[in-house]
Amino acid sequence: MAVIKFVQNYDDLSTDRGYQFRFRCDHCGNGYESTYQANGLSVAGDLLRAAGGMLGGIFGSVGNSTYDIQRAVGGPQHDKALQNAVNEISPLFNQCRRCGQWRCKDVCWNDQKGLCKSCAPFLAEEIASAQATAARDQVYTKAQETDQTQGVNMAVQATATCPHCAAPSGPGKFCAECGGVLAATLKCVSCSAEVPSSAKFCPECGSRPRS
């Protein structure tokens, strides 16, 4: 038998009862399954299984080895079935002469250029993709240029948890659990020293701190 072409990207779905193959596009992964082809040896397998069920013994053991029999003598029949499947499915694909890959005609082939769309893209698709990519990038740029902090004072040292009750801190100035100040440090009203917000008095001058 001649060498079988177009067999790189496929799945063999065959069993001892018949042959079927799934071929896929090298790029998008879409593809087609070939028409199911019955295996003539499956009839012999059924007879062996029936004989094994009635008589047992050696016939039973042979019946359980039907798939081994198919593997031993079904090689040429399997190759013929594969060739038939290739002949059936290959017209749905083209092989790009530039990159050598098999591409499906429906999605990944440029008929105007006679090449796959990776080697010869459709300009309209490329323009649409470039425009969408540019719009996405501009959204991120504008988001960076727009104040997203909504007046948050970045000079105040923040903390992830409330320094008073250890509850998760929110976006406000005070803890929603205990009402304590969420700033990590405060400035003393008297001497302007930085004081931990959990402190009741300024360690520098003894006054009560406030924000």
Side-chain angles (χ1 to χ4, degrees), residues 74-158:
Q77 187 172 355
H78 180 275
D79 289 348
K80 182 179 179 180
L82 177 57
Q83 182 67 71
N84 291 337
V86 167
N87 293 339
E88 177 186 9
I89 300 299
S90 59
L92 303 175
F93 292 82
N94 281 330
Q95 185 178 27
C96 180
R97 296 184 64 84
R98 184 174 185 273
C99 67
Q101 291 193 335
W102 287 94
R103 300 296 183 92
C104 61
K105 292 182 178 181
D106 290 341
V107 177
C108 300
W109 189 256
N110 187 337
D111 280 326
Q112 296 177 352
K113 299 298 183 180
L115 296 170
C116 72
K117 287 167 60 176
S118 296
C119 296
F122 283 130
L123 294 183
E125 292 180 354
E126 294 300 306
I127 292 172
S129 177
Q131 290 173 339
T133 301
R136 180 197 62 191
D137 294 341
Q138 289 171 13
V139 166
Y140 284 106
T141 300
K142 288 187 176 181
Q144 292 290 335
E145 295 173 349
T146 303
D147 183 10
Q148 305 292 330
T149 61
Q150 299 179 354
V152 174
N153 186 356
M154 300 302 294
V156 177
Q157 295 297 315

Side-chain angles (χ1 to χ4, degrees), residues 186-189 193 195-197 199-202 207-211:
L186 303 175
K187 284 189 178 296
C188 176
V189 65
V195 183
S197 61
K200 294 182 178 180
F201 298 94
C202 174
S207 301
R208 282 188 176 274
R210 72 177 184 184
S211 57

